[in-house]
Amino acid sequence: MPTLYRGDRDKLNVAIDEAAAGLAEGGIPIGAALFDSSGRLLGRGHNRRVQDGDAAMHAETAAFHDAGRQRSYRDTTMVTTLAPCWYCSGLVRQFGIGRVIIGDDVNFEGGQDWLAECGVEIVVLRDPAMIETMANFIRDNPALWNEDIGEE
């Protein structure tokens, strides 16, 4: 059973702020942040596929990039407003990120089960506001959403 730690909700709020920034820029409202084991913010970002015309700039990728080079990612926590897609799940596995906090896995489950099977601690907070934001975005922008997750 995953452990909810003091400060996990505050960490999710950083990612939620990023999601709001992405939506305000005309992009997809997904945000992420990477924290070290002491809770220090290493990097933050939001999905920038639309804004940058870059198919690889998902929120988790942006936060990882913003964090810069680390000696190890084993004791880090990736916080994301939406369950990570397979691409971002691969990033978590590739670099050994040990814990992932998810704000919404109702609208999209992504690779969270696979990550858990690989030993990554998964914490799902099911934030009602993020669930509603993503549901509205998906309903209003189905073509853009399907493009983002690699579906036709």
Side-chain angles (χ1 to χ4, degrees), residues 68-142:
R69 186 172 159 212
Q70 306 293 313
R71 286 186 55 88
S72 172
Y73 297 89
R74 186 108 14 241
D75 294 326
T76 62
T77 297
M78 178 67 76
V79 183
T80 180
T81 58
L82 186 67
C85 68
W86 287 104
Y87 169 65
C88 296
S89 294
L91 181 145
V92 168
R93 283 290 296 131
Q94 172 70 30
F95 292 95
I97 294 170
R99 188 168 188 255
V100 176
I101 298 172
I102 298 168
D104 170 12
D105 72 343
V106 173
N107 288 296
F108 184 71
E109 290 184 13
Q112 69 178 341
D113 290 340
W114 174 68
L115 288 172
E117 290 169 8
C118 293
V120 177
E121 181 182 0
I122 302 294
V123 177
V124 180
L125 297 180
R126 291 208 174 117
D127 180 81
M130 276 316 308
I131 292 168
E132 181 180 6
T133 296
M134 280 311 303
N136 291 340
F137 182 85
I138 292 166
R139 181 196 67 228
D140 295 344
N141 302 280

